[in-house]
Amino acid sequence: MTTKSTAISARLARLRGTLSAEEPGARGLERMARNPGCQRLRALTIAGITPATAVTAIYQEPDREGQSPFAIGLGNRYEAFLYGAGAASLLQLYRDAGRLLLAQAKVVNMLDLAPGSSPYALQRRELLTRRYLAQKLNGDPNAPNLIIQARLTVSLLGVEHPIAPDVLVAADTDPFYRPAEVKSYPDRNGKTDPSDIRGACRQAAVAVVALRQLASKLGVAQPDQVVPPLADLVLRVTGSFTPTLRPMTLQREVSSLLASLNQAPKNLAELEMLLAGVGGALDDQATLDAVPNRYQPNCREFCALAPHCKAQAVQDTDPVLLGVPAREALASAGSLSRALDLLNGTGAPPRTLEERALQERMREADAERAKAVR
Amino acid sequence: MSDHTVGNAGDSGDQRETRETRRDRSERADRGDHAERLRRDLARCSAELRSLNEVFNQRVVDPGMPGSNIERLQRQIERLTQRQSRLVTELLIAASSPSTSSRSSSSSSVRNREDALLAPSEPTAPEEPSESTVLRFTDSGDGASSSATVAVRHRSRPMRETVLDTLAELEVVAAPRAVSDIAEALYGEAIPVERFASLRRDEERAYINNPLRRPVWIVPAINCVGLAAIPRLVALSSWPAEERLVGSRTMRTAHLRTLLRLLNFRGRAAGESHDLRSARFDHLILQYARSVPDAFDWGGTPYREPDGEPDWERVAAAVEVELAQIEPADRVEREAAAHRLGKLSDRYQFWGAPVVAEGGQIERRNTP
């Protein structure tokens, strides 16, 4: 570890207080980019605390996040099916799609080369992944076509965080690998749950960023040329384990993730100043509450703190309870109760020009509503 | 505990003697049956070798025959010869083994047999396992099937023997699930997949205690990259190193080779007019052949079900086409790794090299 990253680690440890560092993984990193306005989520991710730990260890509330055991079991079985028999099903999928030729059947499964979850095994997977990717960049025809459970890292504040993309795929003629996310969601064409697709795309975006960072370390001058913002989603036919292949473009997801990562050093300095003013660490409930959040309805898709933040929004009568457009429309009031006061003429009169303008708009809209229902 | 002293409380001496006499007679009858089965198997094995040698002679003089085909046939002849040697040794042991009561543990009788196999004075001490007599197919070379063969299983055959026999039939590295499925189709014996982990540990422990104790061990496959073990794949220690090594294409070639073996098993079972027996393999063949291009015409649904009755010869031809594309490069990689593996000690050649972490630390493994 370099001196710089040691210093960063010490600062992060101070922010965490008594809590141990947790790896965010691809889910944690993409989560941070989903709600860039939420300082609380960013603070936790940067410091190395997952929202689930914040809920249970700091707020002492039950954790309602997480997949059902049935979904987890189904996902594990589906992956075992795809990776079994030398990844026969995956090979067939890519051959049918014309992405791999018959002779391109070089499959490497990291779970075979470095079995187990000991630190040695994980380190070995990282080294082997780096070796194979270097082999590919050097144009070696023996570089694998499919790498299962590779181990990459994403640098955040100079600290390397490991991620494990499900599959990396490359034909012999491809310059480098493309990530593929395997999900056991049924593929319903356009009717597949959009939140599931969003989550999978964002996780794949993390793998794209990781590949670019590694390509850069291996001497590639323009990693974004070698690793375009593309990934594959491998879902399954409804009612069976037959896989389906969906190539996805991830320009927006990759851009938002990169912006989030690039902003992290500034965020760390701001966070330290904020906590210095409050006088605590993130393991303290009052200190964490002092870090501003930005609740929005889709937070429940990806953040364990969503119920807590929603309860806070209810207490504050935050306009976002009526949806994100309502937050923007009622921004000058700041809360639903103030907006009602302005509409009904109760409470204090408008204090600013924006409040007066809002009052007029609401009263006009209310008059239209009354006329319409008469 | 000797059976001569075991008895139920209150038994008379005559009752105990009658029980022992019946038991001895039963054992003698078993040994006679066993010897007879061994002779039949030897006869079939010899016939199969004869036909293989005839095919070999034809291929050798054919200038258009690729060397890889001849080499493959040579390996089949070698394996069949080894099987013949094992059968002869078993026949000798069966003819000379002393009376042992049925109460003696099966492990001690196996040990006796194995010790006999390893005794230096034995002129035909083989290096192969004392396999139990099981289903054997014969191939007269012209596709005609032999007289019907029936699965002959010893009472409560140990799992280890079933695994040995199944791997000997497959001739490629395999995952426990595959071994279990194929053993069930071949012998009607289901092997619990979860028991493979303990089998693997027991084998290595036994090897470390006495490497000469068994002629063949069930060993893990070894990866070509770091020459470390791949615990979830099994092989036989009697195979040449390159057959136990796994490169980047090996899992695919092993899958295809397994499919060819399944087609072979099915063909012979079908020839015995046992529809039920051949049907056991149909499901497995369909499963394995799904990923082989041009093996089937697929129906219009997204579920990839074959359209119409499968053409097994077409499946075999499609497999050979793919094998021709990937097997030569796979063999080159494995032979290069075998050369490196040969420089290691015997233990590491069978059980894989230790994993060395960055900094030179050796990862501790679970086995002693």
Side-chain angles (χ1 to χ4, degrees):
Chain A
M1 202 186 268
T2 63
T3 308
K4 180 182 172 189
S5 59
T6 307
I8 296 276
S9 294
R11 288 165 70 183
L12 298 178
R14 278 196 293 277
L15 290 177
R16 281 193 307 272
T18 57
L19 294 173
S20 308
E22 296 172 274
E23 285 297 345
R27 282 185 200 267
L29 292 167
E30 65 91 359
R31 181 190 290 145
M32 188 173 64
R34 286 232 228 173
N35 191 356
C38 182
Q39 283 182 259
R40 190 177 295 171
L41 179 59
R42 293 178 69 75
L44 289 170
T45 306
I46 288 169
I49 303 170
T50 63
T53 299
V55 167
T56 54
I58 302 173
Y59 289 116
Q60 308 289 319
E61 291 170 10
D63 176 21
R64 294 184 203 94
E65 196 195 39
Q67 289 179 293
S68 77
F70 302 108
I72 294 172
L74 176 64
N76 290 341
R77 285 200 307 279
Y78 183 50
E79 285 190 358
F81 170 78
L82 282 183
Y83 304 155
S89 297
L90 266 183
L91 273 179
Q92 165 229 310
L93 182 69
Y94 278 99
R95 282 171 174 175
D96 288 349
R99 295 271 299 274
L100 292 179
L101 302 178
L102 197 61
Q104 295 171 7
K106 300 183 288 292
V107 178
V108 161
N109 189 332
M110 287 297 169
L111 301 176
D112 285 341
L113 297 185
S117 54
S118 69
Y120 291 135
L122 298 179
Q123 183 195 62
R124 187 155 171 73
R125 280 185 223 167
E126 211 171 299
L127 288 173
L128 285 170
T129 301
R130 192 182 170 112
R131 182 196 297 190
Y132 284 124
L133 268 53
Q135 202 179 0
K136 187 63 177 170
L137 280 174
N138 292 336
D140 188 334
N142 289 317
N145 300 114
L146 291 175
I147 304 177
I148 295 168
Q149 293 288 307
R151 194 165 168 90
L152 301 168
T153 60
V154 173
S155 179
L156 174 61
L157 293 170
V159 178
E160 300 293 328
H161 294 284
I163 65 161
D166 292 324
V167 181
L168 298 178
V169 57
D172 287 355
T173 49
D174 291 338
F176 204 48
Y177 291 96
R178 178 193 294 200
E181 278 293 314
V182 173
K183 297 292 178 192
S184 58
Y185 313 141
D187 187 342
R188 298 196 174 97
N189 289 322
K191 297 192 177 77
T192 308
D193 190 337
S195 64
D196 291 339
I197 300 294
R198 267 199 301 273
C201 284
R202 287 193 165 272
Q203 279 180 256
V206 176
V208 168
V209 170
L211 285 170
R212 286 183 179 179
Q213 289 184 355
L214 181 58
S216 178
K217 285 175 197 162
L218 292 172
V220 174
Q222 290 180 303
D224 52 335
Q225 302 289 317
V226 162
V227 189
L230 301 170
D232 295 327
L233 280 195
V234 177
L235 305 181
R236 61 183 181 94
V237 173
T238 309
S240 85
F241 274 3
T242 305
T244 66
L245 184 63
R246 298 269 177 200
M248 308 295 284
T249 308
L250 307 174
Q251 185 63 62
R252 203 174 50 192
E253 289 84 355
V254 170
S255 298
S256 75
L257 180 62
L258 284 172
S260 197
L261 292 172
N262 291 338
Q263 226 180 334
K266 180 163 161 272
N267 294 144
L268 176 59
E270 287 170 356
L271 180 62
E272 285 173 322
M273 280 177 50
L274 176 67
L275 295 191
V278 176
L282 289 172
D283 61 345
D284 173 62
Q285 185 173 334
T287 307
L288 188 56
D289 279 340
V291 181
N293 67 342
R294 189 176 170 81
Y295 172 76
Q296 48 198 41
N298 73 339
C299 283
R300 64 174 185 268
E301 285 178 20
F302 55 87
C303 184
L305 282 167
H308 178 85
C309 294
K310 183 178 178 183
Q312 198 174 338
V314 169
Q315 199 172 3
D316 297 341
T317 67
D318 192 321
V320 79
L321 292 170
L322 298 179
V324 172
R327 171 189 268 159
E328 290 165 13
L330 302 176
S332 46
S335 69
L336 288 172
S337 50
R338 180 59 182 158
L340 283 171
D341 283 346
L342 289 172
L343 175 64
N344 298 327
T346 54
R351 299 187 195 104
T352 63
L353 286 173
E354 288 78 17
E355 278 197 348
R356 186 179 299 283
L358 175 62
Q359 185 183 52
E360 283 171 15
R361 281 199 306 274
M362 283 195 296
R363 284 180 173 172
E364 276 172 24
D366 192 45
E368 290 295 320
R369 179 199 60 81
K371 199 192 303 182
V373 299
R374 210 177 297 134
Chain B
M1 185 187 289
S2 163
D3 279 329
H4 292 113
T5 58
V6 168
N8 296 325
D11 276 358
S12 69
D14 286 343
Q15 284 173 323
R16 275 203 295 275
E17 190 176 338
T18 305
R19 240 191 336 273
E20 285 155 9
T21 306
R22 274 204 300 271
R23 199 178 298 128
D24 285 344
R25 254 192 267 125
S26 165
E27 284 172 8
R28 275 199 299 277
D30 283 348
R31 285 202 302 280
D33 289 345
H34 181 48
E36 196 181 315
R37 282 194 293 270
L38 284 171
R39 285 181 185 280
R40 279 204 303 268
D41 288 338
L42 255 176
R44 279 195 291 270
C45 187
S46 168
E48 195 177 341
L49 250 181
R50 195 167 47 244
S51 65
L52 271 179
N53 276 311
E54 282 170 10
V55 172
F56 184 84
N57 290 336
Q58 289 164 12
R59 290 191 184 180
V60 157
V61 299
D62 178 358
M65 183 59 57
S68 57
N69 281 6
I70 296 173
E71 193 207 357
R72 202 176 304 147
L73 195 55
Q74 172 65 36
R75 285 203 300 276
Q76 285 179 23
I77 291 172
E78 282 168 6
R79 287 190 188 114
L80 207 51
T81 308
Q82 286 167 3
R83 189 192 296 171
Q84 186 172 272
S85 301
R86 283 198 303 274
L87 288 171
V88 168
T89 305
E90 277 194 61
L91 188 62
L92 287 173
I93 291 168
S96 62
S97 65
S99 167
T100 52
S101 79
S102 61
R103 289 266 185 109
S104 326
S105 66
S106 59
S107 60
S108 72
S109 64
V110 167
R111 255 201 310 281
N112 289 340
R113 189 177 296 174
E114 289 170 344
D115 289 343
L117 288 173
L118 293 168
S121 58
E122 282 292 334
T124 56
E127 298 199 353
E128 303 307 324
S130 54
E131 293 173 333
S132 50
T133 309
V134 290
L135 189 67
R136 288 285 180 264
F137 297 103
T138 62
D139 180 7
S140 59
D142 60 359
S145 60
S146 71
S147 56
T149 56
V150 178
V152 176
R153 295 190 298 280
H154 291 274
R155 287 173 297 205
S156 60
R157 191 160 81 128
M159 171 189 163
R160 183 178 187 272
E161 290 195 27
T162 309
V163 173
L164 282 171
D165 289 347
T166 308
L167 284 171
E169 290 286 355
L170 284 177
E171 301 173 343
V172 291
V173 299
R177 169 56 63 193
V179 174
S180 176
D181 290 345
I182 293 168
E184 189 166 18
L186 273 175
Y187 313 123
E189 294 176 30
I191 308 174
V193 172
E194 55 274 9
R195 287 183 57 191
F196 273 81
S198 58
L199 173 67
R200 179 169 41 83
R201 283 193 296 271
D202 291 346
E203 285 284 287
E204 189 173 3
R205 204 174 286 128
Y207 176 90
I208 290 167
N209 286 336
N210 182 0
L212 299 179
R213 187 177 163 209
R214 290 172 180 159
V216 173
W217 302 90
I218 299 169
V219 294
I222 295 175
N223 80 63
C224 288
V225 173
L227 302 181
I230 303 176
R232 69 170 193 93
L233 298 173
V234 288
L236 292 181
S237 61
S238 56
W239 294 347
E242 60 269 18
E243 302 298 332
R244 293 182 282 111
L245 282 156
V246 173
S248 59
R249 298 168 184 85
T250 308
M251 289 315 298
R252 186 61 185 168
T253 58
H255 180 90
L256 296 171
R257 287 259 157 240
T258 301
L259 177 50
L260 286 179
R261 294 299 290 159
L262 288 170
L263 287 165
N264 186 270
F265 299 153
R266 187 197 182 280
R268 290 168 177 174
E272 294 170 13
S273 304
H274 288 173
D275 287 343
L276 183 60
R277 292 201 67 77
S278 66
R280 278 185 188 173
F281 298 104
D282 288 1
H283 170 70
L284 279 174
I285 292 170
L286 281 174
Q287 189 181 310
Y288 274 72
R290 260 178 217 286
S291 62
V292 179
D294 296 328
F296 301 111
D297 287 324
W298 299 109
T301 73
Y303 296 99
R304 284 186 76 87
E305 296 297 332
D307 201 17
E309 281 299 310
D311 179 349
W312 304 118
E313 286 184 8
R314 174 179 170 178
V315 173
V319 171
E320 293 285 2
V321 164
E322 187 174 347
L323 270 175
Q325 296 231 9
I326 63 176
E327 197 166 40
D330 177 45
R331 186 149 284 279
V332 166
E333 185 181 4
R334 286 191 279 129
E335 282 170 357
H339 180 69
R340 288 185 285 123
L341 188 68
K343 297 177 184 170
L344 304 182
S345 67
D346 283 352
R347 178 182 169 180
Y348 294 153
Q349 286 188 46
F350 288 140
W351 305 99
V355 177
V356 180
E358 207 172 280
Q361 295 157 299
I362 293 179
E363 181 179 1
R364 184 176 305 189
R365 293 161 66 181
N366 288 334
T367 47

